[in-house]
Amino acid sequence: MKRTIAAILAADVAGYSRLIAQDEEDTLRRLADHTALYRGQVSEFGGRVFNTAGDAILAEFPSAVEALRAAIAIQRELGRRNDALPPERRLAFRMGLTIGDVVAVEGDLLGDGVNVAARLEGIAEPGGICLSASVHEAVSNKVPVQFRDIGPQRLKNIPRPVHAYRVVWPQEAAAAGSVRDRLRRSAPARRWLLVPALAVPAALALALRAGPLPWRDDPADPPGDPVVTEALPVSVIAARHLCFKDEVRLGGVVVPRREIEVRPEGEGLRVLTVAVEPLARVAAGQVLATLGRLHGPEQPPVTLRAPASGVVGRVSATPGAPVTAAGPAPFQIVAQGEFELAAEVPLSDLGRIAAGQPATVTPLGLPESRGRVRTVSASAEGASQSGRVRIQMAEAGEPRQGTFARAVVTVEERCGTAIPASAVMIGEEGRFVYRVEDGRIEPRLVTIGLSAGGDVEVRGGLERNDVVVARAGAFLREGAAIRPIRVEAARAAD
């Protein structure tokens, strides 16, 4: 099998089954015309269509830049063709684009790159393009379009999150920036953290019924005028109280907090009997082994005892073997049975960790154990650019020294106002949400803090119980009339 790296462009028709049910012959004819246009543009930009199935088309390109240029050219031409049709009969492609490792099999391509492109296409809007972070990095400043960061996406049957962006068309970008003056009046400028805004296909479909595609320039719609001419049903949610944790994740090995090596005081001895096994708990003074003389007349055996209570960590004594005061210790005792995690911390996180912070430690194959940071190295090691942290563990099963373990250190925990991350959008003045009042929306600048799951902490700009647009804010306009539909927090994040 031949492997290669390629830019993969996946596309299919939004609402294809509905279009076929309405008018099969017309839909198939227009699909053939659109497919011919698609193939022509792919070829013009140096690509190759390698698979088609129904309304789906897959193409490969040696260049991510050329792949995106082809996708933009296709969407713009299809947009012009759709202008002459009523909204319910428009045939629009959704597109997904990624760079990935693929396998060539008899002219077809298979593999992870193809799968990710197809899943990205599934979260694109009709007439839109969704691309992976690898493509975004490759095309940055090379293609004259803007992008919206929609964050890590969990795609069906893809085991890892895929960080995604969507292409923002010129008309849409202008509309997003039109709230600038209103935002200046509503709150002072602040420093913002990046939070993605997610779009709702259902809301987009309603917007399409109300007018042309948002990225098409239409003389009838001067800049700043709302595209939506009637109250749209829009999902809204009330800001709620939620607690957030700022956490650092570490990995390391389990080690004794304090270990005591046990040796005989005399020389010329050999082991007669061994009374304990590794991981056995012992009390101070408990017999570990009996020793006898290697040579000379028989004498009473010498007893080797535990100097402190704890857990037997290591036993190297075997009956008949010689032991000396200067040689290797036949026994190691973990004082008080206390273990801790010795972990390395990246330099970027080292300054955030301090002694006393709570942690959870999970040794391989054992249940989670509560713990607390005991020590933090004063400086990072130059070669590895990391520091060392010791986390004292509470009892959890029978941890073995040297076992790999993971830990989560809680740096900070705050409780306050929270909204879904999908409610937050980006404008020229920073991050904002659409606040809902009396059936209309207004932009409100917000300061974003910690995140948990699909929610973000709001540190300024909103009060608890303020109602905001949960999703699809990018397709609304300032002052637009909406029909609010309340949703639960879990549904808003879906």
Side-chain angles (χ1 to χ4, degrees):
M1 294 186 294
K2 179 184 177 182
R3 286 189 172 274
T4 186
I5 300 293
I8 305 297
L9 178 64
D12 78 352
V13 176
Y16 181 69
S17 298
R18 173 183 58 80
L19 292 168
I20 285 289
Q22 289 178 352
D23 191 331
E24 181 178 351
E25 291 186 1
D26 178 65
T27 299
L28 292 176
R29 177 185 58 77
R30 289 190 293 125
L31 177 60
D33 291 341
H34 286 17
T35 301
L37 165 69
Y38 192 103
R39 287 181 177 274
Q41 292 289 359
V42 166
S43 178
E44 182 175 339
F45 285 91
R48 176 184 74 95
V49 173
F50 63 85
N51 200 332
T52 61
D55 62 318
I57 308 176
L58 291 166
E60 67 162 327
F61 295 80
S63 162
V65 172
E66 295 305 299
L68 182 57
R69 286 173 176 167
I72 292 171
I74 294 168
Q75 293 291 42
R76 283 178 172 160
E77 177 58 31
L78 293 183
R80 283 189 283 271
R81 293 187 182 187
N82 278 328
D83 282 347
L85 297 170
E88 65 275 8
R89 291 300 299 158
R90 291 173 181 169
L91 194 154
F93 277 117
R94 297 178 300 191
M95 293 184 177
L97 178 59
T98 192
I99 300 172
D101 185 285
V102 292
V103 178
V105 180
E106 297 181 355
D108 197 1
L109 296 181
L110 306 172
D112 187 63
V114 177
N115 296 337
V116 171
R119 295 308 182 191
L120 287 171
E121 167 265 304
I123 64 173
E125 308 90 343
I129 305 168
C130 187
L131 47 93
S132 66
S134 59
V135 174
H136 179 264
E137 182 178 356
V139 304
S140 181
N141 299 322
K142 298 182 181 70
V143 182
V145 291
Q146 297 183 38
F147 303 94
R148 186 181 300 279
D149 185 345
I150 62 173
Q153 302 292 310
R154 293 202 172 274
L155 307 177
K156 184 178 180 182
N157 295 332
I158 304 297
R160 65 194 183 283
V162 176
H163 200 116
Y165 295 76
R166 71 177 185 85
V167 172
V168 179
W169 305 105
Q171 177 96 354
E172 185 182 352
S178 69
V179 301
R180 181 176 61 252
D181 292 339
R182 181 63 176 271
L183 291 174
R184 282 187 178 136
R185 294 193 298 270
S186 65
R190 296 179 176 93
R191 186 178 180 181
W192 312 102
L193 297 176
L194 182 62
V195 178
L198 305 180
V200 174
L204 174 61
L206 290 167
L208 291 175
R209 295 191 185 99
L213 287 168
W215 52 270
R216 293 289 299 125
D217 295 323
D218 191 337
D221 291 323
D225 284 358
V227 173
V228 180
T229 58
E230 59 182 14
L232 293 175
V234 174
S235 298
V236 301
I237 190 168
R240 61 196 179 102
H241 184 77
L242 195 64
C243 293
F244 296 86
K245 290 183 178 180
D246 184 11
E247 299 175 329
V248 175
R249 298 181 180 275
L250 311 172
V253 295
V254 175
V255 298
R257 178 176 178 180
R258 184 169 69 94
E259 58 182 347
I260 305 171
E261 292 187 339
V262 184
R263 296 179 175 87
E265 294 182 357
E267 300 292 338
L269 300 172
R270 62 186 176 88
V271 178
L272 297 178
T273 61
V274 178
V276 294
E277 295 181 350
L279 299 183
R281 290 195 169 274
V282 295
Q286 183 173 332
V287 174
L288 303 178
T290 58
L291 311 177
R293 294 290 175 184
L294 276 171
H295 307 289
E298 289 291 333
Q299 296 184 10
V302 176
T303 303
L304 197 60
R305 299 179 181 274
S309 298
V311 172
V312 178
R314 183 179 65 247
V315 177
S316 60
T318 57
V323 289
T324 67
F331 296 94
Q332 175 214 50
I333 303 296
V334 179
Q336 308 305 319
E338 293 179 340
F339 289 91
E340 58 186 18
L341 179 68
E344 290 192 353
V345 187
L347 187 60
S348 57
D349 290 326
L350 187 61
R352 301 169 59 201
I353 300 179
Q357 291 172 338
T360 57
V361 181
T362 307
L364 188 65
L366 292 174
E368 181 182 278
S369 169
R370 292 189 305 276
R372 193 165 294 275
V373 176
R374 187 172 68 84
T375 62
V376 181
S377 61
S379 60
E381 296 181 0
S384 64
Q385 288 296 291
S386 63
R388 294 187 178 276
V389 170
R390 290 289 185 109
I391 300 174
Q392 186 172 352
M393 300 167 54
E395 293 185 13
E398 293 291 348
R400 290 178 179 269
Q401 60 189 77
T403 300
F404 178 79
R406 297 191 180 277
V408 179
V409 178
T410 301
V411 175
E412 183 181 7
E413 183 172 5
R414 294 198 300 263
C415 298
T417 302
I419 58 175
S422 58
V424 183
M425 293 169 290
I426 182 171
E428 291 187 6
E429 294 298 319
R431 301 300 182 267
F432 70 98
V433 299
Y434 277 126
R435 183 175 177 272
V436 181
E437 187 170 2
D438 298 329
R440 290 193 175 273
I441 61 173
E442 63 172 4
R444 179 70 63 88
L445 281 169
V446 290
T447 305
I448 301 303
L450 301 175
S451 63
D455 294 304
V456 294
E457 175 194 20
V458 180
R459 305 203 68 182
L462 282 181
E463 301 293 334
R464 187 176 175 183
N465 296 323
D466 279 352
V467 177
V468 300
V469 173
R471 301 178 63 144
F475 297 98
L476 300 175
R477 300 293 180 266
E478 177 185 354
I482 66 169
R483 179 159 57 87
I485 300 176
R486 291 269 188 157
V487 296
E488 299 296 329
R491 287 179 54 203
D494 291 340

